[in-house]
Amino acid sequence: MSNFKVVGLDHVQLAIPVNGENAARAFYVGRLGLTEVAKPAALAGRGGCWFEGPGIRLHLGIEDPFAPAQKAHPALVVDDLEAARSDLDGGEISALPGWRRFYIADPFGNRIEVMQPL
C-alpha cells in the first residue's frame, strides 16, 4: 500500500508527426474550441503545442517516427453530444452505464472519445 494517493490528473499527451502543429491547431482550436497556451520556454524548442479548455489540458508532442494512438485515447466530455456528433462528423453513438459516446480521430489518426452523461 502506498503512503500517498493520486489526487488529480494534470494533463493528457498525444503524439503528432513532425510539422503537425498547424493541422493540430486547426482541429483542436478550430473544431474542438480549445485554446492554445504557450509551452514553457524550456520545452518550446521541441515542437508540438499545448491546449486547454474547461477541465482539460491536452499536450501534443512530436514523435518521429509517428504512430497514432488507435486504442489509447482521451475522453472529452461535452454538453451536447448530438451537436458535437454533427459538428465533428462523429461515428455511431453508443451507450455505457450513465453515458452516451462516440469516437472521432484527430487529423493524425489519434482516437478521441466524445462523451455526455445521461
Side-chain angles (χ1 to χ4, degrees):
M1 184 91 178
S2 299
N3 292 315
F4 67 93
K5 64 181 174 178
V6 176
V7 296
L9 177 67
D10 183 77
H11 68 274
V12 171
Q13 179 157 326
L14 292 173
I16 63 172
V18 173
N19 297 319
E21 291 88 349
N22 286 338
R25 289 179 183 104
F27 180 76
Y28 288 96
V29 174
R31 305 276 321 269
L32 294 182
L34 299 177
T35 300
E36 185 171 4
V37 296
K39 291 178 67 173
L43 302 177
R46 298 180 184 179
C49 34
W50 291 6
F51 302 97
E52 292 183 358
I56 182 172
R57 287 197 233 178
L58 182 67
H59 296 177
L60 302 180
I62 302 298
E63 189 170 79
D64 187 22
F66 169 74
Q70 296 180 355
K71 184 69 174 174
H73 62 276
L76 306 178
V77 178
V78 298
D79 63 351
D80 186 331
L81 194 69
E82 294 292 342
R85 181 176 178 230
S86 177
D87 287 355
L88 298 170
D89 303 318
E92 182 177 331
I93 293 176
S94 62
L96 289 174
W99 295 87
R100 294 174 54 223
R101 66 184 180 165
F102 65 87
Y103 290 94
I104 57 172
D106 74 4
F108 317 106
N110 290 311
R111 184 181 197 195
I112 299 172
E113 185 174 8
V114 182
M115 307 178 73
Q116 182 179 19
L118 294 176

